[in-house]
Amino acid sequence: MSALYAAFCAAAVSVLKEVNKHVTEPYMDEPFHVPQAQAYCAGNYSHWDPKITTPPGLYIVSVILKRFFIVKCALPTLRLTPLLALLILPLVLTRFLAYHKRIHPPSILSPSPAAVILALHPLVFFYGFLYYTDVPSLLSVVTTIVLAQEERHWLAALAGAISCTFRQTNIVWVLYAYAASQIAYLRYRRNGVRLHDPLARQATFGDIPWSAFSLASLLPDILPAFVPYALVLAGFGGFLVWNGGIVLGDKSNHVPAFHMPQLYYLTSCATAFCWPTLLRVPSLPSRVLRKMFGGKLRTACTILLCAVVCLMINRYTIHHPFLLADNRHYTFYLWRRVILVHPAVKYLLAPIYIACGWAWWVAVGASSDNTLLQVLLIPLTAAPTLLPAPLLEPRYFVVPLVLMRGLLEGDVDEGSSDDTREKATNASRSSGFRLSPNTSLALEFAWYAIINVVTLYVFVYCPRGEVRFMW
């Protein structure tokens, strides 16, 4: 066991001890989850709180742990369920990141430093200490993806089915796991026609329809692997028919609505958290500026794109009543003191959203092995989970954030470029500012640690009456 992972486990256990010591009553969503779990622990499986909107996977895991370890289903012991998922997460993330680096993963009990640090992601680490579904959900989704990449499709489908018991929208990530594994299979298979899937840094808009047609023509080759996932999809379809929709319980406060800015929030959130890794790319800020304003044509395209983004913001920004009324979340203050401080602010953020998008495109393109379809698959699968969600909730971003971070794990190709002008400036770019992999990893660790320490300190030790501040 690595020293970093041992320190991670010790820190997580210590934090849970402090949370249980100071947060002695169920908080936020826990007043719904805890009684439901206790009803299951008592054998009352017919009881269901109509305010709960997610399936019972979390409670079933707690019942299993109770049977194995003979513990009571009190609040402190129920919080061990997400903690256990958090402690296992670096082991699975190691295999996930090894796939992106095209290396063999280390021993199961020797998680990589990058995996441990990714498990420290503030939107992941914080929810390892509350009785929430987030960390078990993420663990099951990443396990599904890893098993699919290893071509263990029946096990992947089983893990995917389990993931849907934590959060029903995970069905989208089950399909992502299958699609990503088949894109890799078609790209690297030795015999037969290969998929048209150029490296992201070399791809143009014209490659998108060509890749789509190429994939469609190869569907017969990948349909056999879809059989176990089809069974999961059929089971999910049965659930939709039985439930009358995707939302369990409180449907009135979770009515789907088209919320286009969610993708803008995702991209900016990913940039805010992952900037140390993005800066592995030489001269990233100047390259983004060239993408946006490097000539009259690009400047005109940026202005047009800004207009489109502003139109989407104007027509599809949703001021959810939960967001406006609940001052226990940081998003409340972000919305009140940034977005709503002046009517123009939300439009002034449009160039920032575009710059963040370009930063990610340049960074994933600089990775030596990322392909066009591999990159596009993440937003294509994130969209069905985010666009219908009317509430701005950072927890909804966790899975795509982890997948996006995985795309940055490959070696950076300093000489990569996508047009003649950039080819002429390769030498200057290679000598421009960049962070080495070790430096960026250390900086990423420090960045996450600072955010976690501040967030957890405020949550545990600085309540205002009954109010505690959290994501």
Side-chain angles (χ1 to χ4, degrees), residues 457-470:
Y457 184 87
V458 170
F459 176 75
V460 174
Y461 301 115
C462 303
R464 292 187 180 180
E466 299 296 323
V467 174
R468 296 179 182 272
F469 300 106
M470 59 188 289

PDB file of all heavy atoms in Angstrom, residues 457-470:
ATOM      1  N   TYR A 457     -13.982  22.528   6.975  1.00  0.00           N
ATOM      2  CA  TYR A 457     -13.854  23.313   8.210  1.00  0.00           C
ATOM      3  C   TYR A 457     -15.089  24.188   8.415  1.00  0.00           C
ATOM      4  O   TYR A 457     -15.659  24.238   9.511  1.00  0.00           O
ATOM      5  CB  TYR A 457     -12.595  24.184   8.164  1.00  0.00           C
ATOM      6  CG  TYR A 457     -12.358  24.956   9.450  1.00  0.00           C
ATOM      7  CD1 TYR A 457     -11.649  24.380  10.498  1.00  0.00           C
ATOM      8  CD2 TYR A 457     -12.871  26.243   9.624  1.00  0.00           C
ATOM      9  CE1 TYR A 457     -11.429  25.070  11.682  1.00  0.00           C
ATOM     10  CE2 TYR A 457     -12.669  26.932  10.802  1.00  0.00           C
ATOM     11  CZ  TYR A 457     -11.953  26.333  11.827  1.00  0.00           C
ATOM     12  OH  TYR A 457     -11.762  27.023  13.010  1.00  0.00           O
ATOM     13  N   VAL A 458     -15.510  24.864   7.357  1.00  0.00           N
ATOM     14  CA  VAL A 458     -16.705  25.705   7.452  1.00  0.00           C
ATOM     15  C   VAL A 458     -17.930  24.858   7.759  1.00  0.00           C
ATOM     16  O   VAL A 458     -18.765  25.219   8.596  1.00  0.00           O
ATOM     17  CB  VAL A 458     -16.898  26.512   6.150  1.00  0.00           C
ATOM     18  CG1 VAL A 458     -18.257  27.213   6.136  1.00  0.00           C
ATOM     19  CG2 VAL A 458     -15.776  27.534   5.987  1.00  0.00           C
ATOM     20  N   PHE A 459     -18.043  23.704   7.097  1.00  0.00           N
ATOM     21  CA  PHE A 459     -19.212  22.849   7.297  1.00  0.00           C
ATOM     22  C   PHE A 459     -19.270  22.302   8.722  1.00  0.00           C
ATOM     23  O   PHE A 459     -20.333  22.310   9.356  1.00  0.00           O
ATOM     24  CB  PHE A 459     -19.180  21.696   6.299  1.00  0.00           C
ATOM     25  CG  PHE A 459     -20.291  20.702   6.473  1.00  0.00           C
ATOM     26  CD1 PHE A 459     -21.588  21.003   6.066  1.00  0.00           C
ATOM     27  CD2 PHE A 459     -20.053  19.465   7.057  1.00  0.00           C
ATOM     28  CE1 PHE A 459     -22.625  20.086   6.234  1.00  0.00           C
ATOM     29  CE2 PHE A 459     -21.075  18.537   7.227  1.00  0.00           C
ATOM     30  CZ  PHE A 459     -22.364  18.859   6.815  1.00  0.00           C
ATOM     31  N   VAL A 460     -18.134  21.835   9.229  1.00  0.00           N
ATOM     32  CA  VAL A 460     -18.129  21.157  10.533  1.00  0.00           C
ATOM     33  C   VAL A 460     -18.086  22.145  11.699  1.00  0.00           C
ATOM     34  O   VAL A 460     -18.840  21.988  12.675  1.00  0.00           O
ATOM     35  CB  VAL A 460     -16.939  20.182  10.611  1.00  0.00           C
ATOM     36  CG1 VAL A 460     -16.829  19.565  12.003  1.00  0.00           C
ATOM     37  CG2 VAL A 460     -17.073  19.086   9.564  1.00  0.00           C
ATOM     38  N   TYR A 461     -17.234  23.175  11.584  1.00  0.00           N
ATOM     39  CA  TYR A 461     -16.949  24.004  12.757  1.00  0.00           C
ATOM     40  C   TYR A 461     -17.593  25.388  12.733  1.00  0.00           C
ATOM     41  O   TYR A 461     -17.523  26.097  13.739  1.00  0.00           O
ATOM     42  CB  TYR A 461     -15.430  24.170  12.914  1.00  0.00           C
ATOM     43  CG  TYR A 461     -14.692  22.879  13.077  1.00  0.00           C
ATOM     44  CD1 TYR A 461     -13.782  22.440  12.117  1.00  0.00           C
ATOM     45  CD2 TYR A 461     -14.898  22.073  14.195  1.00  0.00           C
ATOM     46  CE1 TYR A 461     -13.087  21.246  12.267  1.00  0.00           C
ATOM     47  CE2 TYR A 461     -14.214  20.871  14.354  1.00  0.00           C
ATOM     48  CZ  TYR A 461     -13.306  20.470  13.389  1.00  0.00           C
ATOM     49  OH  TYR A 461     -12.632  19.290  13.540  1.00  0.00           O
ATOM     50  N   CYS A 462     -18.192  25.773  11.616  1.00  0.00           N
ATOM     51  CA  CYS A 462     -18.721  27.143  11.523  1.00  0.00           C
ATOM     52  C   CYS A 462     -20.205  27.175  11.172  1.00  0.00           C
ATOM     53  O   CYS A 462     -20.601  27.848  10.201  1.00  0.00           O
ATOM     54  CB  CYS A 462     -17.922  27.947  10.492  1.00  0.00           C
ATOM     55  SG  CYS A 462     -16.158  28.019  10.810  1.00  0.00           S
ATOM     56  N   PRO A 463     -21.040  26.471  11.917  1.00  0.00           N
ATOM     57  CA  PRO A 463     -22.475  26.555  11.612  1.00  0.00           C
ATOM     58  C   PRO A 463     -23.044  27.900  12.051  1.00  0.00           C
ATOM     59  O   PRO A 463     -22.536  28.525  12.993  1.00  0.00           O
ATOM     60  CB  PRO A 463     -23.063  25.409  12.445  1.00  0.00           C
ATOM     61  CG  PRO A 463     -22.137  25.288  13.612  1.00  0.00           C
ATOM     62  CD  PRO A 463     -20.762  25.600  13.076  1.00  0.00           C
ATOM     63  N   ARG A 464     -24.090  28.310  11.368  1.00  0.00           N
ATOM     64  CA  ARG A 464     -24.839  29.501  11.786  1.00  0.00           C
ATOM     65  C   ARG A 464     -26.201  29.022  12.263  1.00  0.00           C
ATOM     66  O   ARG A 464     -27.129  28.867  11.481  1.00  0.00           O
ATOM     67  CB  ARG A 464     -24.988  30.480  10.619  1.00  0.00           C
ATOM     68  CG  ARG A 464     -23.680  31.125  10.197  1.00  0.00           C
ATOM     69  CD  ARG A 464     -23.917  32.200   9.148  1.00  0.00           C
ATOM     70  NE  ARG A 464     -22.674  32.825   8.733  1.00  0.00           N
ATOM     71  CZ  ARG A 464     -22.598  33.799   7.831  1.00  0.00           C
ATOM     72  NH1 ARG A 464     -23.710  34.247   7.241  1.00  0.00           N
ATOM     73  NH2 ARG A 464     -21.436  34.329   7.498  1.00  0.00           N
ATOM     74  N   GLY A 465     -26.267  28.780  13.566  1.00  0.00           N
ATOM     75  CA  GLY A 465     -27.473  28.177  14.087  1.00  0.00           C
ATOM     76  C   GLY A 465     -27.590  26.750  13.585  1.00  0.00           C
ATOM     77  O   GLY A 465     -26.711  25.922  13.803  1.00  0.00           O
ATOM     78  N   GLU A 466     -28.675  26.470  12.885  1.00  0.00           N
ATOM     79  CA  GLU A 466     -28.895  25.141  12.319  1.00  0.00           C
ATOM     80  C   GLU A 466     -28.350  25.012  10.899  1.00  0.00           C
ATOM     81  O   GLU A 466     -28.424  23.942  10.298  1.00  0.00           O
ATOM     82  CB  GLU A 466     -30.406  24.831  12.300  1.00  0.00           C
ATOM     83  CG  GLU A 466     -31.047  24.815  13.672  1.00  0.00           C
ATOM     84  CD  GLU A 466     -30.499  23.706  14.548  1.00  0.00           C
ATOM     85  OE1 GLU A 466     -30.226  22.607  14.017  1.00  0.00           O
ATOM     86  OE2 GLU A 466     -30.330  23.939  15.759  1.00  0.00           O
ATOM     87  N   VAL A 467     -27.794  26.097  10.366  1.00  0.00           N
ATOM     88  CA  VAL A 467     -27.350  26.122   8.972  1.00  0.00           C
ATOM     89  C   VAL A 467     -25.864  25.798   8.877  1.00  0.00           C
ATOM     90  O   VAL A 467     -25.040  26.409   9.576  1.00  0.00           O
ATOM     91  CB  VAL A 467     -27.645  27.501   8.323  1.00  0.00           C
ATOM     92  CG1 VAL A 467     -27.049  27.565   6.923  1.00  0.00           C
ATOM     93  CG2 VAL A 467     -29.135  27.766   8.293  1.00  0.00           C
ATOM     94  N   ARG A 468     -25.543  24.849   8.002  1.00  0.00           N
ATOM     95  CA  ARG A 468     -24.139  24.543   7.680  1.00  0.00           C
ATOM     96  C   ARG A 468     -23.974  24.701   6.170  1.00  0.00           C
ATOM     97  O   ARG A 468     -24.820  24.275   5.401  1.00  0.00           O
ATOM     98  CB  ARG A 468     -23.782  23.115   8.091  1.00  0.00           C
ATOM     99  CG  ARG A 468     -23.854  22.884   9.590  1.00  0.00           C
ATOM    100  CD  ARG A 468     -23.520  21.444   9.934  1.00  0.00           C
ATOM    101  NE  ARG A 468     -23.647  21.217  11.373  1.00  0.00           N
ATOM    102  CZ  ARG A 468     -22.670  21.407  12.259  1.00  0.00           C
ATOM    103  NH1 ARG A 468     -21.479  21.829  11.834  1.00  0.00           N
ATOM    104  NH2 ARG A 468     -22.866  21.184  13.532  1.00  0.00           N
ATOM    105  N   PHE A 469     -22.864  25.295   5.772  1.00  0.00           N
ATOM    106  CA  PHE A 469     -22.635  25.580   4.360  1.00  0.00           C
ATOM    107  C   PHE A 469     -21.938  24.424   3.679  1.00  0.00           C
ATOM    108  O   PHE A 469     -21.007  23.829   4.228  1.00  0.00           O
ATOM    109  CB  PHE A 469     -21.822  26.864   4.186  1.00  0.00           C
ATOM    110  CG  PHE A 469     -22.490  28.073   4.765  1.00  0.00           C
ATOM    111  CD1 PHE A 469     -22.025  28.629   5.954  1.00  0.00           C
ATOM    112  CD2 PHE A 469     -23.594  28.638   4.159  1.00  0.00           C
ATOM    113  CE1 PHE A 469     -22.651  29.736   6.491  1.00  0.00           C
ATOM    114  CE2 PHE A 469     -24.221  29.747   4.706  1.00  0.00           C
ATOM    115  CZ  PHE A 469     -23.751  30.290   5.882  1.00  0.00           C
ATOM    116  N   MET A 470     -22.384  24.084   2.478  1.00  0.00           N
ATOM    117  CA  MET A 470     -21.844  22.948   1.755  1.00  0.00           C
ATOM    118  C   MET A 470     -22.027  23.185   0.259  1.00  0.00           C
ATOM    119  O   MET A 470     -22.606  24.191  -0.163  1.00  0.00           O
ATOM    120  CB  MET A 470     -22.569  21.665   2.176  1.00  0.00           C
ATOM    121  CG  MET A 470     -24.070  21.703   1.930  1.00  0.00           C
ATOM    122  SD  MET A 470     -24.940  20.287   2.644  1.00  0.00           S
ATOM    123  CE  MET A 470     -24.399  18.991   1.545  1.00  0.00           C
TER     124      MET A 470
END
